[in-house]
């Protein structure tokens, strides 16, 4: 069974490709290599022993998307990761985010509506909730005004999919609203490797600890939390990847209750930035150089998941804890320190 993974050489995408191949699926990867390299493909092959089909393709090119689906008419499911994903960058460059995250989604969906049946997993985000009123956040929490253009693209993306599913009942879709994936594969052959300055906390921590960055900036310590720093739900990337496979199998087996469903993917535990730093220092036995700076635009105070729905309906549950995930990220950083 052939499954398309867009953005399949990215952080979550590459780990999901590994899990799909472990389950016996034939994987086709589309990636434009804007935030990754072909080294990731080598890592996937080293782990699984089998090369996925890879096509370098920019999904913003509508004609290229159309041609791809013409030559791969036997695709049974699509997991759509391809998108820009940094909150801070989206505030500075909103048009990049609207073009890259919305246009690409529309072009892929247009091709899926031409098929007799299609199964679509959307890489969504807890940012759709904005600053939720209560914690933990359940799927029934109201969708608030987005705190950033990135968050807005995920809200709009879900609306586009939902509207499309209403018109095309043979299109089945699940949006996975995940919280903060971190870590690396246990083999340390793939992990989070952002090009340029990291936009996410964990790679910035590990790059600072290894000497690649001079200092970690902690954005604000005056939030209404236990230590004044923001709270997030940090989930191991392998747990996140497994959730995509389970969600896909739900659609392939026609177990979905409607043709558009949403699930939170997290651990259900919130950790502050300072708690993450302390956990890193513990597992790495390394003192981290960090300083408190001003708040960053677009950041919400707190976000962690109510995972009851995913646990009960998908039969999925996070297996790793915060220290497991951080240790895997540190091991990964030490394998790539020569870079």
């Amino acid at each position: 069974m052939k499954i398309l993974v867009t953005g399949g050489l990215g952080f979550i995408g590459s780990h999901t490709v590994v899990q799909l191949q472990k389950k016996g699926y034939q994987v086709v990867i589309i990636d434009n290599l804007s935030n990754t390299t072909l080294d990731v493909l080598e890592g996937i092959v080293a782990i699984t022993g089998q090369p996925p089909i890879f096509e370098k393709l920019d999904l913003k090119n509508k004609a290229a998307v159309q041609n791809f689906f013409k030559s791969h008419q036997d695709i049974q499911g699509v997991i759509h990761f391809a998108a820009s994903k940094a909150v801070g960058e989206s505030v500075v460059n909103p048009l990049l985010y609207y073009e890259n995250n919305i246009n690409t989604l529309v072009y892929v969906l247009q091709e899926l509506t031409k098929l007799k049946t299609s199964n679509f997993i959307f890489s969504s985000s807890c940012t759709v909730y904005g600053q939720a009123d209560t914690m933990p956040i359940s799927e029934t929490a109201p969708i608030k005004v987005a705190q950033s253009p990135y968050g807005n693209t995920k809200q709009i993306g879900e609306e586009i999919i939902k509207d499309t599913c209403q018109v095309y009942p043979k299109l089945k879709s699940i949006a996975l609203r995940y919280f903060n994936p971190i870590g690396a594969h246990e083999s340390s052959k793939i992990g989070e490797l952002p090009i340029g300055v990291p936009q996410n906390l964990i790679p910035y921590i590990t790059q600072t600890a290894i000497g690649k960055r001079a200092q970690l900036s902690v954005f604000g310590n005056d939030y209404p939390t236990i230590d004044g720093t923001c709270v997030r739900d940090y989930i191991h990337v392998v747990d996140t990847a497994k959730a995509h496979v389970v969600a896909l199998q739900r659609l392939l087996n026609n177990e979905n209750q409607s043709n558009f469903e949403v699930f939170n993917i997290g651990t259900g535990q919130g950790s502050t930035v300072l708690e993450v730093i302390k956990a890193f220092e513990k597992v790495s036995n390394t003192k981290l150089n960090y300083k408190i700076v001003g708040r960053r635009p677009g950041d919400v105070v707190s976000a962690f998941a109510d995972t009851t729905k995913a646990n009960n309906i998908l039969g999925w549950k996070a297996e790793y804890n915060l220290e497991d995930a951080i240790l895997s990220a540190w091991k990964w950083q030490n394998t790539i320190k020569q870079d």
Side-chain angles (χ1 to χ4, degrees), residues 19-179:
Q19 296 301 321
L20 286 167
Q21 290 189 327
K22 277 187 174 181
K23 292 288 186 181
Y25 294 101
Q26 182 185 11
V27 179
V28 184
I29 295 173
I30 285 178
D31 206 298
N32 67 357
L33 303 180
S34 63
N35 196 35
T36 189
T37 69
L38 281 174
D39 292 344
V40 179
L41 191 59
E42 295 174 15
I44 291 170
V45 175
I47 294 167
T48 65
Q50 55 187 120
I53 300 168
F54 171 69
E55 292 208 21
K56 184 182 178 184
L57 191 154
D58 192 333
L59 293 174
K60 295 194 297 293
N61 183 334
K62 185 174 182 176
V65 177
Q66 292 172 332
N67 289 334
F68 172 85
F69 278 92
K70 283 175 187 171
S71 61
H72 293 277
Q73 295 185 6
D74 55 343
I75 284 172
Q76 303 275 302
V78 176
I79 303 180
H80 183 58
F81 290 106
S84 301
K85 62 173 186 174
V87 168
E89 183 186 46
S90 77
V91 174
V92 176
N93 196 348
L95 290 179
L96 168 73
Y97 274 67
Y98 287 116
E99 180 185 30
N100 203 35
N101 294 8
I102 302 302
N103 291 12
T104 57
L105 171 64
V106 169
Y107 297 157
V108 171
L109 287 176
Q110 283 175 335
E111 297 311 304
L112 293 184
T113 60
K114 298 173 186 176
L115 304 178
K116 290 181 181 177
T117 181
S118 51
N119 303 287
F120 186 72
I121 307 297
F122 180 58
S123 169
S124 192
S125 167
C126 65
T127 55
V128 301
Y129 299 115
Q131 180 55 68
D133 297 323
T134 57
M135 295 293 142
I137 304 170
S138 77
E139 290 85 351
T140 57
I143 303 297
K144 297 288 195 70
V145 173
Q147 301 284 303
S148 67
Y150 165 73
N152 200 24
T153 65
K154 292 303 181 182
Q155 290 183 358
I156 294 168
E158 286 195 13
E159 290 170 3
I160 289 169
I161 298 165
K162 187 176 181 180
D163 290 344
T164 306
C165 285
Q166 288 178 340
V167 180
Y168 297 94
K170 290 183 178 178
L171 172 64
K172 296 177 292 178
S173 181
I174 291 176
L176 296 181
R177 295 171 176 169
Y178 34 81
F179 283 64

